[in-house]
Amino acid sequence: MSHNIKKRFIAGAVCPRCAEMDRIVVFEQEGQQRRECVACGYSDILVIQPDQVEIPTRVTPENKKNEEISPQPIKFFPNPRLKKQSENSNKAD
């Protein structure tokens, strides 16, 4: 058994056995992806299926051509508070 295994904590992951959050580490051993809970010792092999279809969400890119957006000018308005502060500092001098 090699001691050079790099284990990574998975943020927000919950252990299926003890329900502790942020205690799951993921690592590769003998060519298999594994996960393990550091709190209770639960361990299993992750099965990654390459044929899985991504669930469509509102941020999933669609197969549309990117519409070109023409550049538009940006208007900046002066902050009235900044103007008053600079006028007040000039009056004090």
Side-chain angles (χ1 to χ4, degrees):
M1 182 170 174
S2 175
H3 296 286
N4 301 20
I5 298 173
K6 291 186 180 183
K7 296 182 178 184
R8 298 174 298 151
F9 278 95
I10 305 301
V14 177
C15 176
R17 183 188 295 164
C18 67
E20 289 285 327
M21 183 181 283
D22 296 335
R23 300 284 193 258
I24 298 289
V25 291
V26 177
F27 58 96
E28 187 171 333
Q29 186 178 30
E30 299 173 2
Q32 296 177 331
Q33 290 287 327
R34 297 178 171 264
R35 68 178 173 174
E36 183 177 282
C37 177
V38 296
C40 70
Y42 173 81
S43 179
D44 69 348
I45 297 171
L46 295 175
V47 179
I48 301 172
Q49 299 174 353
D51 298 342
Q52 289 180 333
V53 178
E54 185 177 355
I55 298 171
T57 63
R58 62 186 176 101
V59 295
T60 305
E62 296 180 14
N63 293 334
K64 291 183 178 179
K65 292 182 181 178
N66 291 338
E67 297 177 13
E68 290 193 30
I69 300 172
S70 61
Q72 298 176 353
I74 299 175
K75 295 181 182 178
F76 290 97
F77 296 100
N79 187 341
R81 293 182 191 165
L82 294 177
K83 188 174 182 181
K84 288 180 184 178
Q85 287 176 355
S86 63
E87 286 177 3
N88 290 340
S89 64
N90 289 340
K91 289 179 182 178
D93 293 336

